[in-house]
Amino acid sequence: MLIKLQNLEGILPVKLYLPFDQEKVTIIIPTMGKEIPSRSEDYSLWYNELVKKADLAEHSDVRGCMVIKPYGYSIWEKMQQALDAMFKETGHLNAYFPLFVPKSLFEAEEKNAEGFAKECAIVTHYRLKNDPQNKGKLMVDPDAQLEEELVVRPTSEAIIWSTYKKWIQSYRDLPILVNQWANVVRWEMRTRLFLRTAEFLWQEGHTAHATADEAVKETVQMLEVYAEFAEKFMALPIIKGRKSEGERFPGAVDTYCIEAMMQDGKALQAGTSHFLGQNFANAFDVQFTNKEGKLDYVWGTSWGVSTRLMGALVMAHSDDDGLVLPPKLAPIHVVIVPIFKHEEELNKIAEKAKEITASLKKQGYTVKFDSRDTHKPGFKFAEWELKGVPVRLAIGPRDMENGTVEVARRDTKEKQVMKIDEVATKIPALLDEIQENIYNRALTFRTNLTTKVETYDEFKKVLDEKSGFVLAHWDGTPETEAAIKEETKATIRCIPLDAVEEAGKCIYSGKPSNKRVIFARAY
RNA sequence: CAGGGUGUGGCGUAGUUGGUCGAGCGCGCUUGCAUUGGAAGCAAGAGAUCGGAGGUUCGAAUCCUUCCACCCUGACCA
């Protein structure tokens, strides 16, 4: 027996199967294919499904590696464009260094090499041959072993500093301000789309300076660039800070970072900028003659952000209906969905859409007119919401009569009716408002999930019951940090640059402390 | 890498004391007609060596061995 109940007050179609001849009663509620799990049910499942369903990325046939799909890559390109302009603005130029690093170079800076040793991919051979035992198959040619193994770069300091040695003789050759957009490989045990994959895309800036002071200024400057990018473009509120010794980049003297909070209360490092001191100059013997005619080692910095920012973008703003993209990074700003019965009607609407598109395009916005007649409007609405397009315009016969459009914003789901003539002026303003709104929403969220605690008990309770950032006093020792991490899984995300000086006691050891640091569980 | 889990047409799944399963269903896909203001209605149709390889058996999606991938927890990490 089959009872079919359909479209009950707008609910999804429901079919009730009542097999009286069986003991069990099965109720089947068909899913619509594009639906994603809710955040509250299973946050990480929500994230994974959203990334896939919104066409950002998918798993590849290579373990731990992802395919970034065109829509996802468009967003990354937007990020690249914005960042690249900022790098150029601050005097940097792009260059490209090899993917492979000879092992001897790689191991030159010991701490750095040690830090990455456990997750390096290594090239040992340069040729395959037909397998005599196994027809049609290939095998590594044992006669084609490399004299020196090549490390696939997990980061490029080694190859770059060995090159800088050739470029630098005098203070007149400094500073060197270079950035590269590249892929790197870190052989991760556990991977997640965008957040942690074996191969990922990033940019890495590598600069060389005559003085420590100048290098530190560069480090801080690039941190500011990242902070500005995160807040202005990604609408992502961040906290600028320095890493504790335990969380510092291997090979760096000082690591600065921007830390963001995701909707599940976990922290995510969104960018890092390192003051390398003279560590790499020492390791690669990069010396220059200074103005006084004396030899000195060069001071370095390096800084980077990766496709991990894509993960941050998703986890910071999106909701159960799909992506919520900040207009400044959205590949499509406005989608126009026509509502029509006949082709004739569609043509009329298309004309209007063309006008609207032209007026917005002139102002630098990307507009998509979704004229597919293979899908109904409701389907399109849901689809563009899933993809996070900030503004949707719907134009139907009624609108054509009244000279109006229906405007829906993705961030709040609010709809309003607007005069068509006003679209060209009001939509840009609306996009700005959306950009601001999602930033503010994320900031409010973070503020609500930021807690000051005085005792270790309180600390643990907040972590378990509330999550988020916990501001607490710390005695500054790696031992305390390690113990807290061991017991609670929370790490020191950063020592905020704007931390207020205040006398207090370390929550763990009770020793004196003069400012609070940010603890959180992190990605 | 350790512990746990999962793997069935493109996606989500039913089915696992071995045999009416010669694998069912929903979404998606194709064709025709219809429709279009929130996930398209009717009809017909295509699509699966049940993750791979071996094995047990008269018989395997179902049992065994092994490998692979993904998910969760841990260690590690941007």
Side-chain angles (χ1 to χ4, degrees):
Chain A
M1 183 181 184
L2 169 63
I3 303 169
K4 196 173 173 187
L5 309 168
Q6 268 194 342
N7 297 327
L8 282 176
E9 294 174 9
I11 324 171
L12 290 173
V14 171
K15 284 179 186 173
L16 269 178
Y17 293 87
L18 300 175
F20 292 112
D21 51 332
Q22 289 175 27
E23 284 179 0
K24 280 190 261 178
V25 174
T26 314
I27 299 171
I28 298 168
I29 301 169
T31 54
M32 301 316 290
K34 292 275 187 181
E35 282 177 0
I36 50 173
S38 72
R39 286 166 294 180
S40 54
E41 257 172 70
D42 188 335
Y43 191 82
S44 58
L45 190 64
W46 165 80
Y47 173 80
N48 287 139
E49 288 302 306
L50 178 50
V51 167
K52 286 186 269 193
K53 295 256 166 71
D55 275 337
L56 300 183
E58 64 190 32
H59 291 285
S60 70
D61 292 336
V62 191
R63 177 183 193 149
C65 294
M66 65 179 163
V67 172
I68 304 175
K69 299 179 74 175
Y71 191 66
Y73 201 81
S74 305
I75 299 171
W76 175 239
E77 280 179 323
K78 288 255 174 182
M79 290 183 174
Q80 284 184 302
Q81 282 161 18
L83 282 165
D84 204 62
M86 292 167 99
F87 298 156
K88 301 277 167 62
E89 193 61 36
T90 44
H92 304 86
L93 290 175
N94 288 327
Y96 187 78
F97 294 85
L99 169 68
F100 304 115
V101 185
K103 194 169 125 275
S104 57
L105 282 186
F106 185 74
E107 63 201 8
E109 209 293 324
E110 277 177 47
K111 279 186 188 150
N112 190 256
E114 231 183 86
F116 287 106
K118 294 183 296 290
E119 45 188 12
C120 286
I122 303 116
V123 179
T124 56
H125 293 73
Y126 59 86
R127 194 165 62 207
L128 295 171
K129 65 172 192 178
N130 288 320
D131 186 348
Q133 313 291 328
N134 216 335
K135 226 184 168 187
K137 304 283 183 190
L138 293 170
M139 61 179 284
V140 173
D141 187 342
D143 297 330
Q145 189 161 359
L146 291 171
E147 293 210 358
E148 181 178 3
E149 292 94 340
L150 298 174
V151 177
V152 180
R153 64 179 167 217
T155 177
S156 301
E157 274 78 4
I159 191 75
I160 286 179
W161 280 91
S162 71
T163 306
Y164 282 1
K165 178 182 167 61
K166 299 174 202 163
W167 292 2
I168 299 166
Q169 329 295 304
S170 147
Y171 71 92
R172 299 180 200 192
D173 299 322
L174 296 171
I176 292 177
L177 304 173
V178 165
N179 175 64
Q180 91 165 337
W181 289 95
N183 58 338
V184 285
V185 169
R186 297 181 187 174
W187 215 257
E188 298 292 344
M189 289 304 165
R190 234 178 109 190
T191 61
R192 293 193 67 191
L193 295 171
F194 289 121
L195 298 175
R196 180 161 303 110
T197 45
E199 179 192 15
F200 58 94
L201 306 183
W202 76 347
Q203 68 50 226
E204 45 181 330
H206 295 273
T207 69
H209 306 265
T211 64
D213 187 50
E214 194 183 300
V216 169
K217 279 198 178 116
E218 165 79 5
T219 311
V220 173
Q221 173 186 243
M222 297 324 286
L223 183 79
E224 292 295 340
V225 164
Y226 289 153
E228 190 185 334
F229 171 75
E231 302 206 317
K232 292 230 174 96
F233 287 84
M234 298 179 68
L236 185 67
I238 48 83
I239 290 175
K240 291 175 278 190
R242 305 158 94 131
K243 285 295 185 188
S244 64
E245 199 184 319
E247 297 282 320
R248 193 179 292 156
F249 176 70
V253 171
D254 208 349
T255 289
Y256 292 74
C257 63
I258 52 172
E259 289 288 328
M261 188 191 289
M262 302 296 100
Q263 291 182 71
D264 60 352
K266 283 170 85 172
L268 187 138
Q269 179 177 303
T272 51
S273 185
H274 314 290
F275 170 57
L276 303 174
Q278 293 171 307
N279 289 351
F280 284 87
N282 280 318
F284 291 92
D285 191 33
V286 187
Q287 300 190 65
F288 72 106
T289 309
N290 63 22
K291 281 184 187 169
E292 287 77 48
K294 286 181 187 156
L295 273 182
D296 194 5
Y297 287 98
V298 171
W299 300 82
T301 81
S302 69
W303 28 274
V305 298
S306 72
T307 36
R308 191 178 217 209
L309 290 180
M310 295 285 294
L313 193 66
V314 173
M315 288 199 292
H317 304 307
S318 300
D319 61 28
D320 293 347
D321 294 316
L323 290 181
V324 174
L325 295 175
K328 290 217 163 119
L329 293 177
I332 299 168
H333 296 104
V334 176
V335 64
I336 304 174
V337 177
I339 291 146
F340 60 97
K341 284 195 172 77
H342 321 288
E343 201 175 328
E344 201 183 315
E345 221 162 51
L346 172 64
N347 291 339
K348 277 188 199 160
I349 296 170
E351 253 173 65
K352 271 288 167 226
K354 213 170 167 184
E355 286 170 30
I356 294 172
T357 304
S359 70
L360 288 172
K361 200 175 170 186
K362 242 191 305 185
Q363 303 177 69
Y365 297 100
T366 307
V367 182
K368 165 95 183 166
F369 178 52
D370 186 353
S371 60
R372 289 176 293 178
D373 62 356
T374 49
H375 296 275
K376 287 181 87 169
F379 181 93
K380 295 178 184 176
F381 292 174
E383 182 167 282
W384 294 114
E385 274 162 16
L386 176 65
K387 292 202 162 191
V389 176
V391 170
R392 181 187 71 234
L393 306 181
I395 311 177
R398 287 208 297 272
D399 294 304
M400 292 300 283
E401 257 175 53
N402 304 332
T404 57
V405 291
E406 183 195 76
V407 179
R409 52 189 286 184
R410 177 62 182 88
D411 59 339
T412 59
K413 296 293 200 64
E414 286 163 353
K415 289 181 195 174
Q416 55 171 303
V417 173
M418 199 180 274
K419 291 271 176 212
I420 284 197
D421 330 335
E422 295 174 340
V423 165
T425 53
K426 283 196 171 171
I427 296 299
L430 178 62
L431 286 166
D432 288 346
E433 193 187 320
I434 292 172
Q435 181 83 27
E436 203 181 318
N437 179 52
I438 59 181
Y439 174 83
N440 288 332
R441 200 161 71 178
L443 182 61
T444 304
F445 181 86
R446 188 187 76 187
T447 306
N448 291 339
L449 277 191
T450 301
T451 318
K452 276 188 185 180
V453 304
E454 309 304 330
T455 67
Y456 194 46
D457 282 342
E458 218 183 322
F459 178 84
K460 286 187 280 195
K461 200 174 163 199
V462 169
L463 275 177
D464 287 338
E465 289 169 18
K466 185 178 171 188
S467 86
F469 289 172
V470 188
L471 300 174
H473 280 282
W474 166 57
D475 63 17
T477 67
E479 293 75 26
T480 299
E481 182 183 6
I484 292 175
K485 183 178 176 183
E486 175 72 28
E487 290 170 30
T488 66
K489 315 272 186 277
T491 51
I492 296 175
R493 298 322 301 155
C494 70
I495 303 151
L497 295 187
D498 60 2
V500 213
E501 290 281 327
E502 89 180 12
K505 283 192 292 185
C506 173
I507 51 161
Y508 194 79
S509 66
K511 288 180 195 161
S513 145
N514 63 358
K515 59 184 142 189
R516 289 171 190 270
V517 299
I518 297 181
F519 283 91
R521 296 199 174 119
Y523 277 99

